[in-house]
Amino acid sequence: MHIHFVLPANPNEFRNSPLASERLRLRYVEEAAKQCGYKITAGLSINYSADIFFIGKITKDMNKQILYVIQKIKDKNKHILVDYTDDILSSKLDKERKETYEELMKINSEFIVPVEGLSKRLEEKGKKTFIIPDGIDNIPYIEPFNKNNKVINVLWNGHSSNINSLLRIITKELVSYAFNLHIVSNAASFQIIKKTKLKNMPKCKLIGHLWSINKLQQVSKNCDLAILPCDKIWASANRLVTNFRLGLPVIAETISSYEPYSRYYCSFENKHVLDMFRSQEKWYELVKQAQKKTQDDFSDKKLINLWKILFKNI
């Protein structure tokens, strides 16, 4: 069998890619295909010898090329797998990509999603789906410990697509809290922060760090807790699990993928948010339990096997 990744990337570089869609998903697909003995190629040009065309996350700059590929392969009796990680089909703002996914829905394709909620939405539209969670960055487990900071240091890490949820939470629920907020993100996030006029001025001090796995680990070592507001109801649990791995108590907004781990973190709706800021030590044991639970749920072997099962069923 021959699998072709329809994207401008080298599959050998998925593991260390700065893109979460490649690093936390496609590297598992590539490894599963390798273990199945598949030939693996990639590129936006059409490789007609491929048995399987794998369409990863579609970015705006590759949208037109994907549409061209769809038209060329839709009647070629090929297996078309679509990795669908954001609910673009329900978006009112992303018209071009929405139209591309609508075209993929019309043809004989299978959609792979990271959470059950997305699966249900697609199956209501008559599309067959397969659920495979995101992977987790290869970060060593850190046992929680007291940093003895005079001022509470709080970690937020995420992509610029999540930055508005952070700005919302620090100007509402956390507006009166004084702390150092360490933001580990891509450059676009800091441009958004710079241009945004906040209605309420928070008391926290914003400290920016350009994202990398090493930088995230470095910054987290001086942080007392992490916050995870979220506007994407179908987001995966990878950021929550990453913060547990970093040994940090977490305050989060509950979305569907977080629900299995809700006993391990404090909800923003919870009266214990103030207690979390005053005494993180009370949460250390729960962080340790969360580390053990998520280690089993998100092991590389388990995720790779799910992709192998998918391949065997097509």
Side-chain angles (χ1 to χ4, degrees):
M1 293 285 279
H2 175 187
I3 184 171
H4 182 76
F5 290 91
V6 187
L7 76 169
N10 182 346
N12 293 326
E13 297 175 357
F14 288 161
R15 179 176 292 273
N16 298 312
S17 172
L19 301 176
S21 58
E22 296 180 4
R23 192 178 67 254
L24 303 183
R25 290 193 71 76
L26 297 192
R27 79 172 177 94
Y28 295 94
V29 185
E30 188 265 344
E31 180 58 32
K34 187 185 297 182
Q35 291 185 18
C36 289
Y38 287 6
K39 177 181 178 181
I40 300 169
T41 57
L44 288 176
S45 58
I46 305 172
N47 191 324
Y48 287 106
S49 68
D51 304 290
I52 303 169
F53 285 90
F54 192 99
I55 299 175
K57 185 172 184 177
I58 301 172
T59 59
K60 292 181 180 180
D61 59 342
M62 58 189 278
N63 193 62
K64 288 184 179 180
Q65 186 63 29
I66 295 294
L67 279 171
Y68 173 78
V69 170
I70 293 169
Q71 296 306 314
K72 291 296 183 181
I73 65 175
K74 65 179 182 179
D75 298 321
K76 297 293 184 182
N77 196 29
K78 304 287 186 178
H79 295 290
I80 302 173
L81 303 180
V82 182
D83 199 26
Y84 185 71
T85 56
D86 295 309
D87 194 14
I88 303 298
L89 287 165
S90 299
S91 174
K92 296 180 180 179
L93 303 174
D94 203 340
K95 183 179 178 181
E96 289 187 357
R97 286 200 299 165
K98 180 179 180 179
E99 290 176 351
T100 302
Y101 282 109
E102 285 174 343
E103 288 299 312
L104 286 166
M105 288 284 286
K106 293 175 185 176
I107 66 176
N108 185 22
S109 61
E110 287 190 45
F111 276 53
I112 302 94
V113 298
V115 295
E116 186 176 356
L118 274 179
S119 176
K120 288 181 178 179
R121 290 178 80 92
L122 292 176
E123 289 180 351
E124 287 170 358
K125 300 176 185 290
K127 178 57 66 175
K128 184 179 180 180
T129 64
F130 201 92
I131 303 171
I132 302 181
D134 281 358
I136 307 298
D137 281 314
N138 188 23
I139 294 174
Y141 289 89
I142 299 173
E143 186 166 326
F145 67 97
N146 192 323
K147 311 305 192 307
N148 295 313
N149 291 318
K150 291 183 179 180
V151 177
I152 294 294
N153 281 267
V154 176
L155 175 69
W156 180 88
N157 65 288
H159 188 263
S160 54
S161 60
N162 300 302
I163 196 67
N164 286 325
S165 65
L166 175 66
L167 296 178
R168 170 178 53 79
I169 213 79
I170 65 173
T171 56
K172 289 184 179 180
E173 284 85 345
L174 299 182
V175 66
S176 62
Y177 287 73
F179 57 93
N180 294 327
L181 175 58
H182 294 268
I183 302 171
V184 184
S185 190
N186 58 322
S189 284
F190 304 114
Q191 292 298 319
I192 293 171
I193 293 171
K194 188 176 181 180
K195 294 177 181 178
T196 301
K197 293 183 179 180
L198 303 178
K199 292 182 179 180
N200 301 310
M201 189 57 61
K203 289 185 178 181
C204 63
K205 177 182 178 182
L206 275 57
I207 304 169
H209 309 270
L210 200 57
W211 189 93
S212 73
I213 291 178
N214 288 337
K215 177 60 69 173
L216 176 61
Q217 294 178 83
Q218 177 188 337
V219 172
S220 72
K221 290 178 181 178
N222 192 47
C223 288
D224 302 284
L225 60 96
I227 56 174
L228 273 181
C230 192
D231 290 333
K232 298 179 179 179
I233 61 173
W234 306 123
S236 66
N238 56 6
R239 288 197 297 151
L240 176 66
V241 176
T242 294
N243 282 298
F244 287 146
R245 284 195 176 190
L246 293 169
L248 297 177
V250 178
I251 306 173
E253 289 182 308
T254 298
I255 56 177
S256 62
S257 63
Y258 292 4
E259 288 177 357
Y261 312 104
S262 59
R263 67 180 296 265
Y264 305 116
Y265 65 83
C266 179
S267 167
F268 277 106
E269 292 76 31
N270 195 306
K271 62 181 180 181
H272 298 302
V273 169
L274 180 59
D275 290 338
M276 171 80 82
F277 270 86
R278 288 174 173 171
S279 180
Q280 302 83 49
E281 295 90 339
K282 295 178 181 178
W283 292 82
Y284 287 173
E285 183 56 37
L286 286 174
V287 173
K288 292 177 186 177
Q289 293 175 25
Q291 289 179 337
K292 185 177 187 307
K293 168 68 173 169
T294 56
Q295 183 177 23
D296 296 335
D297 289 351
F298 295 91
S299 71
D300 282 4
K301 183 178 180 180
K302 183 173 183 177
L303 295 175
I304 291 168
N305 281 339
L306 286 174
W307 287 105
K308 289 168 71 175
I309 292 169
L310 171 63
F311 291 150
K312 290 173 182 178
N313 287 336
I314 62 176

